[in-house]
């Protein structure tokens, strides 16, 4: 009798711990998804020549800081809206802006709500409003727009592209949906049933007709290559699929490496009105 009772107590304890873990994961899920560096960033002019600090006003009334950089190479009439991943802030993406402006493109480095000293708390709907504000800022420039989304940002700009088609779309290390990426990071949790934010990239892409480049690293352990390959298969406007051999998710080669810059340049060439 005692062994049976002891076994039941052990099972009950394990179940209680499991319920507690799942409950905590549900309550704090956005702390696990969004990993902002909330530190204030320096003035744009100290980051790259000609940089300007700009303010983006969202539809729900937030004022978000962003950086605008003019081309330093021969202007192409193309602007790149850069939506970062779930970590850091826009200062982390300065090397990408430097490389793109040198090739004649304007660049807007935005930060989501809660990132880079911005007010607010990140959510899927909130990030959608943030990137819409960034697009509105660029829409009056007269330049053709390319959306560049990094990881989680790929989901953000895919949704934007379905509603407001760009001249080109770059998806760097995209996942099919957040649950698929979550199952990689937290295989012991029922991710699908817990998530409030979904980010359905592959399901949204069929509505996007813009010329699209998908690029990813073959040794990415955060968003494995097979997830990005499924995104590629869902893109009706696919121009190129670029595998960066041996690259992991946060490797510098996937920030401003030659394959990344070439991917954007290919779309810029298509979008440049002088080439048509």
């Amino acid at each position: 009798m005692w062994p049976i009772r002891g076994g039941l107590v052990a099972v009950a304890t394990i179940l209680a711990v499991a319920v507690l873990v799942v409950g905590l994961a549900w309550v704090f899920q956005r702390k696990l998804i969004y990993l902002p560096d909330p530190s204030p960033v320096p003035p744009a002019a100290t980051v790259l020549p000609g940089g300007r600090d700009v303010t983006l006003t969202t539809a729900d009334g937030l004022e978000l800081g962003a950086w605008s950089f003019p081309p330093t190479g021969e202007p192409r009439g193309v602007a790149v809206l850069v939506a970062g991943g779930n970590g850091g802030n826009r200062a982390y993406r300065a090397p990408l802006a430097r490389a793109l402006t040198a090739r004649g493109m304007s660049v807007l480095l935005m930060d989501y709500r809660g990132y880079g000293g911005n007010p607010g708390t990140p959510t899927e709907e909130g990030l959608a409003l943030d990137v819409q504000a960034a697009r509105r800022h660029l829409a009056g420039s007269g330049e053709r727009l390319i959306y560049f989304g990094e990881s989680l940002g790929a989901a953000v700009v895919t949704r934007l592209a379905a509603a407001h088609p760009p001249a080109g779309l770059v998806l760097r290390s995209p996942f099919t949906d957040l649950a698929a990426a979550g199952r990689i990071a937290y295989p012991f949790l029922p991710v699908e049933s817990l998530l409030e934010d979904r980010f359905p990239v592959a399901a949204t892409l069929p509505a996007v007709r813009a010329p699209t480049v998908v690029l990813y690293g073959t040794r990415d352990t955060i968003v494995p290559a097979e997830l990005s390959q499924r995104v590629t298969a869902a893109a009706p406007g696919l121009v190129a699929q670029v595998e960066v051999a041996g690259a992991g998710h946060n490797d510098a080669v996937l920030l401003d490496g030659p394959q990344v810059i070439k991917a954007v340049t290919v779309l810029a060439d298509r979008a440049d009105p002088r080439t048509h």
Side-chain angles (χ1 to χ4, degrees):
M1 181 174 178
W2 285 107
I4 294 175
R5 180 178 295 176
L8 291 175
V9 169
V11 170
T13 301
I14 292 170
L15 289 175
V17 170
V19 169
L20 177 62
V21 169
V22 171
L24 289 172
W26 182 79
V27 170
F28 295 106
Q29 61 181 274
R30 286 183 171 135
K31 296 291 186 182
L32 300 175
I33 296 169
Y34 306 105
L35 306 172
D37 182 342
S39 306
V41 297
T46 67
V47 177
L48 293 176
R52 292 189 302 111
D53 296 295
V54 299
T55 300
L56 311 175
T57 303
T58 67
D60 60 345
L62 292 182
E63 293 190 345
L64 307 179
W67 287 339
S68 177
F69 299 109
T72 56
E74 183 180 356
R76 294 172 174 266
V78 173
V80 183
L81 190 170
V82 178
N86 71 324
N89 60 40
R90 61 189 181 275
Y92 292 51
R93 282 91 194 176
L96 174 62
R98 181 181 295 107
L100 295 179
T101 55
R103 286 158 180 79
M105 291 168 262
S106 301
V107 175
L108 181 68
L109 292 186
M110 61 167 295
D111 265 329
Y112 308 120
R113 58 190 65 202
Y115 287 70
N118 283 336
T121 301
T123 65
E124 181 177 5
E125 293 305 313
L127 268 57
L129 295 178
D130 299 345
V131 78
Q132 289 167 20
R135 179 196 166 274
R136 284 196 300 273
H137 175 82
L138 291 172
S141 69
E143 297 176 299
R144 307 294 299 280
L145 302 186
I146 292 174
Y147 304 160
F148 182 107
E150 169 195 309
S151 191
L152 182 77
V156 177
V157 296
T158 296
R159 177 171 171 173
L160 180 67
H164 302 283
L169 179 66
V170 180
L171 306 178
R172 195 280 258 182
S173 307
F175 47 70
T176 50
D177 56 58
L178 187 59
R183 285 191 292 271
I184 302 298
Y186 304 103
F188 51 88
L189 290 175
V191 173
E192 183 73 33
S193 58
L194 289 176
L195 280 178
E196 294 184 82
D197 295 345
R198 315 300 294 190
F199 293 103
V201 180
T204 304
L205 264 178
V208 177
R209 300 297 168 180
T212 302
V213 175
V214 179
L215 61 101
Y216 52 88
T218 60
R219 291 190 178 177
D220 192 329
T221 58
I222 296 174
V223 180
E226 54 264 31
L227 291 185
S228 295
Q229 289 162 357
R230 291 177 203 163
V231 171
T232 301
L238 187 69
V239 171
Q241 171 183 343
V242 182
E243 290 189 343
V244 183
H249 194 77
N250 294 314
D251 288 354
V253 71
L254 287 180
L255 173 62
D256 64 338
Q259 295 100 321
V260 175
I261 304 309
K262 182 178 179 180
V264 185
T265 304
V266 165
L267 293 182
D269 287 341
R270 294 173 65 102
D272 188 339
R274 296 172 303 175
T275 65
H276 301 285

